[in-house]
Amino acid sequence: EHTAALRGASIVILPDNDAAGRKHAAQVAEACKGVAASLTVLALPGLPEKGDLSDWVGAGHTREELDALIERATPWNGEAPLAVIPPATTWADTAKVIGPVVWDWGQWLPRGFVTMIAAGQEMGKSALALRIAGCYAAGLPWPDETDFPNERMGYVLWVEGESAQGLNLERAEKWGIPLDCIYNPLQDPLGSVALINEEHQQAIREQARREYVRLIVVDSLSGAQGGEIKAAGALATVRFLGDIAQEVGVPVLLLHHLRKRTDRDDPQWGVTLEMVRDFTQITQMTRVVWAIDQPQGPFGDVRRLSQIKNNFGAKPEPIGLQVTDTGIEFGDAPEEANAASALSEACAFLREILHHRPLMAADVADQAKARRISSTTLHRARTLLKLNTTKVGLSWVWGLPARQEE
C-alpha cells in the first residue's frame, strides 16, 4: 500500500542480520519491483547476529562508508530470483578482532595462541613449563636472560593430566615459585583433568577468566585426553584451547609427546614436526612449536630448546638448558653431533669387538654404551655392516659376515 509513494525512487533495502530480516527484505523487494527506478538489497558487513543499521552506526561506521557500499553494490534487475546473502566479513574485520601479534616472550611465546612443547619422555617438558610458569608467578627472567616485565606477573592456571602434582610441588618449592600463584582448574586439588569431559572444560574456561591469570599450562595433551588419544578428539581439544587463548588473551603452553621411535629417527638427537604424535592434525592448530632434544646424544648433559615451527616470523636462536635440583640452568645451545662421524665410529667399534668371535647382542649393547654410542646409531651400524644375527635360546648373537672376519 506504500509502494506508490516510492515510484521512480532509487531504493536501498538494508536487511536485519537474521533469517527473518532477510526474508522480510526479499518480500519488500518483490513488492517494489516495477515501481522503483533502481532497487538494491545491501547486507551490511560486520553486523552482529540480529543486528541492524543502528548497530552498524553504533559500531562507528559512517554515512560515507554506507554511500561507498551502495555505490559498489549491484542493483537487482527484478528478473533473476532474489537471494539476500548474509553479510560477509573481511580480513579487515579479522584484524580488528585479533590485532597484531603480542609476544609475552619475544618470538617465543605469543599471547592469545597455543604454543606447544614437543619432546620425548624424560626430556624436561614439565620442568621447562614450570620454569616458564615461574616467570609469571615469581618474576624469574626468561630463559634467554631477558627481564620479565613486572606488569605481566600474575597467576598461572595449571591443567594437570599426568598426576604429577607431587613432583611439581617439590620442584616449585625448591625453585622459589609461590604455590599460591598457581591455580588448579578443578575443586579437587589432586584431581587430574580430562579435556574430553565437558564439565572439566567448563571449569577450565571459568578459571581462565579469573583476573590476573597470565598463563595456562596443559601437561600433557595425551594425559589430559585420558590416555590413548585419537586424532579427531585431540584436534577438537587443541581447538578448544585455542578458543580459550583468544578469549582471555593469554598464552596456552601445551605439552605433547613424540610418536614412538623408529629406526629411521632418534628423537634424542633432533626433533622435527613429523616426529610429533599425530602431527598433521595437531600442529596445524598450534602457531609456535618448541622442541627439546639432545644434540650430543643420550650422553650429553645439556639439552637444546629450539623452535621447529613459528607462523609469525623468524625462529629465534636455540637455547641450552640443564635441569638441576635448584632450577633450570640456561646457556648456549650445544652443538649438534656429526651423525656421519658417529656412525663411522659405531661401525669401527663393531668390527673391533666382533673381529675374533660373535658376541651376545646384550654384551655388545653394554660395551657400546660404555663407549657413548647411542642405541640408534649402533643399530644403524649393524644394518650398514650387514651383521649376522642369530637367535640362541632366548638371546640374540651378533657376528661379522665372513668377508669382514678375514
Side-chain angles (χ1 to χ4, degrees):
E1 60 182 291
H2 302 293
T3 55
L6 301 175
R7 185 171 300 279
S10 296
I11 298 175
V12 178
I13 302 173
L14 306 175
D16 294 353
N17 187 28
D18 56 17
R22 289 187 282 273
K23 180 179 179 181
H24 180 65
Q27 292 172 341
V28 172
E30 285 289 343
C32 293
K33 185 170 66 174
V35 175
S38 66
L39 181 60
T40 302
V41 179
L42 173 63
L44 292 172
L47 276 182
E49 181 68 19
K50 299 185 180 299
D52 57 19
L53 176 61
S54 62
D55 297 300
W56 193 76
V57 173
H61 297 285
T62 64
R63 172 62 185 267
E64 289 73 20
E65 288 181 75
L66 180 59
D67 289 341
L69 289 171
I70 296 172
E71 183 70 23
R72 293 197 298 268
T74 302
W76 181 45
N77 59 17
E79 297 177 1
L82 177 64
V84 182
I85 302 173
T89 60
T90 68
W91 282 15
D93 299 309
T94 303
K96 290 177 182 177
V97 175
I98 295 180
V101 177
V102 177
W103 297 92
D104 270 8
W105 177 22
Q107 293 303 120
W108 282 94
L109 192 59
R111 201 179 300 173
F113 295 94
V114 176
T115 294
M116 177 182 289
I117 304 179
Q121 293 184 345
E122 306 298 327
M123 292 297 290
K125 297 185 296 295
S126 299
L128 177 61
L130 182 60
R131 175 58 177 75
I132 297 297
C135 297
Y136 293 88
L140 301 178
W142 291 113
D144 62 0
E145 298 183 355
T146 54
D147 291 335
F148 185 88
N150 289 335
E151 65 272 14
R152 290 298 298 164
M153 289 183 63
Y155 302 118
V156 175
L157 179 62
W158 190 284
V159 180
E160 180 59 51
E162 300 199 341
S163 301
Q165 292 92 340
L167 176 60
N168 291 334
L169 284 172
E170 181 181 349
R171 282 176 170 168
E173 290 177 330
K174 287 182 177 179
W175 297 1
I177 299 173
L179 303 184
D180 57 356
C181 288
I182 301 182
Y183 284 99
N184 304 306
L186 305 181
Q187 291 296 309
D188 180 2
L190 296 179
S192 289
V193 176
L195 287 173
I196 57 176
N197 183 309
E198 292 185 1
E199 292 183 1
H200 288 194
Q201 287 188 2
Q202 183 60 28
I204 293 170
R205 193 181 294 276
E206 291 171 353
Q207 293 299 328
R209 296 190 183 114
R210 182 184 291 273
E211 190 175 13
Y212 300 118
V213 167
R214 304 298 197 194
L215 173 70
I216 301 171
V217 176
V218 179
D219 186 9
S220 64
L221 178 58
S222 57
Q225 283 284 116
E228 188 68 24
I229 66 173
K230 295 182 179 179
L235 183 59
T237 295
V238 178
R239 282 203 184 101
F240 162 72
L241 295 173
D243 290 344
I244 289 180
Q246 288 281 340
E247 180 183 328
V248 299
V250 304
V252 172
L253 201 53
L254 173 63
L255 282 58
H256 191 39
H257 301 297
L258 304 182
R259 59 173 167 77
K260 291 182 179 180
R261 190 176 68 182
T262 70
D263 288 339
R264 296 190 304 273
D265 52 52
D266 187 344
Q268 292 181 313
W269 281 48
V271 176
T272 64
L273 281 177
E274 290 77 11
M275 292 180 183
V276 178
R277 187 183 298 179
D278 295 312
F279 82 98
T280 54
Q281 290 84 11
I282 294 173
T283 59
Q284 66 177 297
M285 299 300 297
T286 52
R287 299 294 167 246
V288 178
V289 180
W290 305 354
I292 305 174
D293 61 6
Q294 290 178 288
Q296 298 295 331
F299 303 102
D301 294 328
V302 181
R303 295 163 188 169
R304 175 177 60 184
L305 171 64
S306 62
Q307 282 188 8
I308 54 176
K309 178 182 178 181
N310 189 330
N311 285 151
F312 301 125
K315 300 181 182 70
E317 289 295 318
I319 299 171
L321 65 91
Q322 188 171 4
V323 181
T324 70
D325 288 339
T326 57
I328 298 182
E329 297 178 0
F330 297 103
D332 294 334
E335 295 292 331
E336 193 157 332
N338 187 312
S341 297
L343 182 59
S344 177
E345 179 186 350
C347 288
F349 160 75
L350 288 174
R351 290 192 185 100
E352 174 189 338
I353 67 168
L354 300 176
H355 179 70
H356 296 295
R357 66 184 186 281
L359 294 174
M360 303 291 287
D363 294 335
V364 175
D366 288 341
Q367 293 188 50
K369 186 175 181 180
R371 297 270 191 106
R372 301 173 72 88
I373 297 173
S374 75
S375 174
T376 298
T377 303
L378 181 66
H379 282 79
R380 286 174 178 165
R382 181 202 66 184
T383 301
L384 182 64
L385 295 176
K386 298 180 179 179
L387 296 186
N388 295 322
T389 57
T390 307
K391 195 167 186 179
V392 178
L394 298 177
S395 303
W396 287 94
V397 175
W398 289 6
L400 290 172
R403 66 179 181 275
Q404 295 188 32
E405 292 175 347
E406 299 173 355

